[in-house]
Amino acid sequence: MIDEMYIRGVEVNYYFVCKTKLWLFSHNVSLEKESDLVKLGKLVHKEFYQRDRKDVQIGPIAIDVIRKGNELEIQEVKKAKSMEKADFFQMAYYLFYLSKLGISAKGRITYPKSKEVVNVELDEEKSRDLEKILREIDGLKRGEMPKPVRKKHCRKCAYFEFCFAG
Ligand code: SF4
């Protein structure tokens, strides 16, 4: 198992969303709790999967697992498809993490708003990509805070005031 396996799933997501956000989150600057969008996300999640859900915490990852016959399926519900690549690699990381523990699973990301579903499976190429991404995240977390760069989604980010006040 590689050293970077202490990384949390949401950190893989933030790697694609914003490196500053990743750094702030990983250094426990937790303005996330105050964001209405985060609350909304949790509400969508709760409403959509009230039944048949099983939350599992394994090391740094927290996942919703459903057993389908002999297969395990990890499920994630996301608000919008705007960060699809981030969502995809967050899920791929869960599958990667489980594979290192000898557990095989598939992933399913649901976007209730647009009624879309993305199925995620891990292959060798994605595993290689993830190893590289995890090493980069590890380096980012150990380094200085990346300077905030204004993006389209900054206005919706819980760290907006922190990054751009004044
Ligand atoms: S406000 Fe923008 S730059 Fe700052 S953490 Fe959020 S996404 Fe990154």
Side-chain angles (χ1 to χ4, degrees):
M1 194 170 296
I2 61 174
D3 291 343
E4 291 79 11
M5 296 299 282
Y6 74 98
I7 289 166
R8 293 154 72 182
V10 71
E11 292 174 332
V12 175
N13 191 294
Y14 289 170
Y15 171 83
F16 291 96
V17 172
C18 172
K19 308 288 189 281
T20 310
K21 187 168 185 167
L22 164 62
W23 190 95
L24 288 167
F25 177 82
S26 67
H27 286 78
N28 296 319
V29 183
S30 55
L31 302 179
E32 288 290 302
K33 287 195 183 82
E34 295 164 12
S35 164
D36 285 345
L37 282 166
V38 172
K39 281 183 203 153
L40 178 64
K42 284 184 177 156
L43 195 66
V44 169
H45 196 267
K46 199 170 161 223
E47 290 296 314
F48 199 70
Y49 274 127
Q50 259 175 346
R51 294 156 295 145
D52 305 327
R53 266 186 57 191
K54 194 169 176 80
D55 290 336
V56 183
Q57 177 86 41
I58 309 169
I61 65 166
I63 48 177
D64 289 348
V65 184
I66 289 191
R67 183 177 287 281
K68 290 190 164 175
N70 289 331
E71 280 193 339
L72 287 183
E73 185 177 270
I74 302 173
Q75 302 197 334
E76 281 269 305
V77 182
K78 300 287 188 184
K79 285 190 302 290
K81 257 189 131 184
S82 52
M83 296 296 171
E84 193 177 355
K85 191 172 181 188
D87 300 340
F88 182 92
F89 273 100
Q90 181 177 0
M91 176 61 83
Y93 175 56
Y94 293 147
L95 301 179
F96 179 78
Y97 193 97
L98 291 180
S99 76
K100 296 292 173 192
L101 301 174
I103 301 167
S104 161
K106 290 182 176 177
R108 181 181 166 93
I109 307 167
T110 306
Y111 299 91
K113 249 177 151 179
S114 57
K115 296 189 173 64
E116 286 177 79
V117 170
V118 174
N119 293 308
V120 182
E121 290 192 42
L122 194 64
D123 58 22
E124 276 185 29
E125 193 187 343
K126 282 188 207 90
S127 295
R128 275 197 301 276
D129 289 348
L130 268 166
E131 288 191 8
K132 187 168 166 275
I133 289 164
L134 294 177
R135 273 193 289 276
E136 286 180 16
I137 291 175
D138 182 56
L140 278 162
K141 287 171 67 163
R142 291 173 197 276
E144 297 286 308
M145 184 183 94
K147 199 171 179 294
V149 177
R150 188 82 175 247
K151 294 172 266 302
K152 210 169 61 181
H153 54 265
C154 284
R155 274 265 168 218
K156 292 180 181 171
C157 175
Y159 296 114
F160 181 77
E161 292 298 322
F162 180 92
C163 290
F164 300 111

